[in-house]
Amino acid sequence: MKWVLHVDLDQFIAAVEIARHPELRGKPVVVGGNGDPTERAVVATASYEAREFGVQSGMPLRIAARRCPEAVFLPSDPDAYLEVSARVMAAVRELPVVVEVLGWDEAFVGAETDDPEALAAAIQEAVARETGLSCAVGIGDNKLRAKLATGFGKPGGIFRLTQENWWAVMGARPTDALWGIGGKTAKKLASLGITTVLDLAGGDPAELAARFGPKTGPWLRLLGGGISDAEVSANPWVARSRSRETTFQRDLTDPAEMAAEVSALAKRVAQDVLEEGRPAARVAVKVRFVPFLTHTHSVTLPEPTSDATELDRAAQEVLGMFELTRAVRLLGVRAEFPREPS
């Protein structure tokens, strides 16, 4: 039988750092920025010991330090994480499976087997043998169920979620327990009287289409039933965008200075786009105002381009969409590539 497995490395970035610094094992570890909680930066990841204090990814380091004063703060080292990730994926590929990489710390695995639990255990053993890291493995009859199953297996376990136990496991859970539904969508669903996965599966198709659109509405209903794609592809992951951002150690209040920073970011993104070998079709600018309010606007380019001047012009146009009357603590520029025809 064909199975989809989802492999998710436990506390990946923190685990890599702890492997490099064994003396930190069992201690609360927070990774992010330059590793200085007095600087403006956010948590990239936190060890389970730090999470017990309420430290979460995306949280400002200063708040993390207040919640867990005893935490050890370390700088982020993307090159090291990329190297370990590559070793993990190579180890999994040694097995008779198809591997679809989703990021540094997770991948879908497609396989034909009569014993998916045994395969999941073999994956865990291969990862541990190659890197010393642990991972959870979700087993499903499609990608959605495999992805969700991993959450029930963490840390370091194995869980199977299929059509057979879908309603027993997921039916009474809130809609944002589903992969692809966030807090905002969950609130909109609640306004329609849809609060659980079972409610969503039985939602009125016309009502969902009217509220969320002719494509998204029906797709949400399918999610409620646990229905999704089951095809695992070994094709290399292709970036949908390239972005750069800067968190400022002092707030910016001068619009001219903001424009100059956006221009510098746009030039860096343009170089990334050039190296990617694909032109950008859309440019977005992210602005984080004091204290921590983040907004994003974007514009579609007249035609796809890799030209730095054109990308800078577009970024300045988007910056003009913001009311820059408040101090700014972060600016970002993102270039999005054209979507591949389906």
Side-chain angles (χ1 to χ4, degrees), residues 38-70:
T38 66
E39 293 186 358
R40 285 183 172 175
V42 298
V43 176
T45 196
S47 67
Y48 291 125
E49 292 81 3
R51 294 177 196 182
E52 291 179 0
F53 289 84
V55 178
Q56 302 173 349
S57 297
M59 174 183 291
L61 291 183
R62 291 180 180 179
I63 294 179
R66 287 203 294 269
R67 291 193 177 184
C68 187
E70 298 179 0

Side-chain angles (χ1 to χ4, degrees), residues 21 26 49 53 79 83 90 139 179 190 201 223 231 238 290 292 333:
H21 306 281
E49 292 81 3
F53 289 84
D79 290 341
E83 188 272 333
I139 299 169
W179 182 35
L223 285 185
E231 187 66 31
V238 178
V290 171
F292 209 75
V333 175

Side-chain angles (χ1 to χ4, degrees), residues 175-313:
T175 55
D176 59 6
L178 292 168
W179 182 35
I181 295 184
K184 291 183 179 179
T185 300
K187 288 182 180 179
K188 293 179 182 178
L189 288 168
S191 70
L192 301 177
I194 298 172
T195 60
T196 68
V197 172
L198 184 60
D199 292 339
L200 181 57
D204 180 78
E207 187 176 41
L208 287 169
R211 183 68 176 86
F212 295 97
K215 290 186 177 181
T216 302
W219 173 72
L220 290 171
R221 192 168 185 268
L222 290 176
L223 285 185
I227 299 168
S228 81
D229 177 30
E231 187 66 31
V232 178
S233 171
N235 291 335
W237 177 79
V238 178
R240 295 180 180 178
S241 64
R242 297 297 298 266
S243 63
R244 296 280 185 167
E245 62 182 44
T246 299
T247 298
F248 304 103
Q249 297 308 311
R250 64 171 182 82
D251 299 333
L252 301 187
T253 56
D254 182 358
E257 188 175 5
M258 298 175 198
E261 293 289 350
V262 165
S263 182
L265 288 168
K267 290 175 181 175
R268 292 173 64 192
V269 168
Q271 183 60 40
D272 293 338
V273 169
L274 196 63
E275 292 175 358
E276 187 74 25
R278 293 183 291 154
R282 192 171 183 83
V283 172
V285 172
K286 178 167 72 172
V287 178
R288 179 166 295 154
F289 296 98
V290 171
F292 209 75
L293 303 174
T294 306
H295 298 282
T296 302
H297 291 304
S298 61
V299 65
T300 299
L301 299 170
E303 60 182 26
T305 182
S306 301
D307 182 72
T309 300
E310 180 61 18
L311 295 177
D312 185 13
R313 182 206 62 76

Side-chain angles (χ1 to χ4, degrees), residues 311-329:
L311 295 177
D312 185 13
R313 182 206 62 76
Q316 297 298 330
E317 177 185 341
V318 177
L319 183 63
M321 299 178 183
F322 293 89
E323 289 187 16
L324 302 176
T325 56
R326 302 181 61 175
V328 168
R329 60 179 292 156

